[in-house]
Amino acid sequence: MRILITNDDGIYAPGLLALARSLAPLGEVMVIAPERQQSAAGHGITLHKPLRMTPVTLDAPVDEAFATNGTPADCTILAAADGRPRPDLVVAGINAGANLGEEVLYSGTASAAMEGALQGLRSFAISVTAYENCIFEAAAEFAAKLAARLHGRTLPRDTFLNVNVPNLCAEDLGLPVLTRLGRRNYSNELERREDPRGRSYYWFSGQPLESDCEEGTDICAVEAGNISVTPVHFDMNFRGGREELQELIDGLGE
Ligand code: MN
């Protein structure tokens, strides 16, 4: 099995290393990851500057490893560089910080896996629910089990799995549960500050409102200590409200 490992936290992120070590025994492993932090880069791809792939040495028995100046989604595309066969499996992570609900829209980790799904490749993104003092071992172990099980199987078309693992030791971790994306409402804050030259600048901040926990959602699963596995499809069509929306546009062309 040819496995591509990527992330959005950057090539030297400890979560990537844990993932590389756990997946290395499963097949031929290639790592391509951004040279610097790209969290919340979304599904951007690079069209207006040259992309570089710089060989790096990781402390993991992988076959090849590269840092790139591209985005996480670029990494998935770059896996086919220089005539390499496309990977059988794309795994993005292990991200430091949960990717729950609408966060998949911003997440570079989820987008790298989504890019794999768009190319018809089996893909999953995996995150732990903490930014600091992350426990990557249990998540890495789960990633290896899931990857092994995906060998010789397919996922539904255009779909990747978004996995979120509570930041717990293996013995405290619950079971994997199939979930749907919840809604993680944020208290969006836009902080205005002043630089030493008196010019204003802005800093995004805000906290997720954890109270929004509906049964069956990814948010609910990880709050209960379980591993959330959400199948995510790129189809963003809204299928309700057709009559009202038809009425909204009726006559606008006259
Ligand atoms: Mn990240």
Side-chain angles (χ1 to χ4, degrees):
M1 182 157 59
R2 279 183 64 82
I3 304 173
L4 169 70
I5 295 177
T6 186
N7 76 350
D8 73 359
D9 291 340
I11 187 78
Y12 295 114
L16 180 92
L17 189 62
L19 186 62
R21 286 176 177 159
S22 70
L23 298 187
L26 296 179
E28 196 180 322
V29 173
M30 182 188 198
V31 177
I32 310 178
E35 61 195 6
R36 60 177 63 93
Q37 178 56 258
Q38 293 260 7
S39 291
H43 204 133
I45 56 169
T46 302
L47 299 180
H48 304 291
K49 66 174 184 188
L51 286 174
R52 310 280 183 191
M53 282 170 70
T54 309
V56 294
T57 305
L58 291 183
D59 190 12
V62 296
D63 294 274
E64 288 185 292
F66 298 93
T68 172
N69 57 336
T71 64
D74 286 334
C75 293
T76 303
I77 301 168
L78 285 169
D82 304 314
R84 289 182 182 81
R86 290 196 305 169
D88 303 302
L89 177 67
V90 176
V91 185
I94 300 169
N95 190 60
N99 277 306
L100 299 163
E102 68 264 42
E103 287 165 350
V104 299
L105 297 173
Y106 302 100
S107 166
T109 312
S111 295
M114 174 64 90
E115 183 57 39
L118 291 176
Q119 292 184 22
L121 311 172
R122 282 159 279 179
S123 307
F124 67 90
I126 184 161
S127 310
V128 294
T129 63
Y131 293 98
E132 286 171 352
N133 304 314
C134 295
I135 303 169
F136 291 117
E137 292 74 18
E141 200 179 308
F142 181 77
K145 286 190 213 163
L146 180 59
R149 195 167 278 187
L150 280 170
H151 187 49
R153 294 191 197 208
T154 57
L155 284 171
R157 196 179 153 83
D158 297 332
T159 302
F160 75 96
L161 300 177
N162 185 47
V163 180
N164 281 277
V165 182
N167 195 48
L168 299 169
C169 299
E171 57 269 29
D172 298 325
L173 209 52
L175 296 170
V177 288
L178 206 59
T179 56
R180 66 176 192 277
L181 296 177
R183 188 72 210 270
R184 209 182 197 200
N185 292 308
Y186 267 79
S187 64
N188 284 313
E189 279 149 40
L190 182 54
E191 209 170 304
R192 184 182 192 273
R193 296 187 188 176
E194 214 166 76
D195 73 16
R197 294 187 179 85
R199 296 168 305 191
S200 54
Y201 68 96
Y202 301 88
W203 204 271
F204 292 157
S205 61
Q207 290 297 320
L209 305 169
E210 298 290 359
S211 57
D212 183 46
C213 178
E214 244 181 68
E215 190 68 32
T217 63
D218 51 357
I219 300 164
C220 184
V222 297
E223 280 192 2
N226 291 318
I227 300 171
S228 168
V229 181
T230 314
V232 179
H233 193 282
F234 78 89
D235 184 356
M236 292 196 199
N237 284 299
F238 175 62
R239 293 181 174 79
R242 301 295 295 190
E243 270 177 43
E244 216 174 304
L245 292 168
Q246 186 59 54
E247 200 193 320
L248 177 75
I249 62 169
D250 273 348
L252 288 181
E254 287 162 20

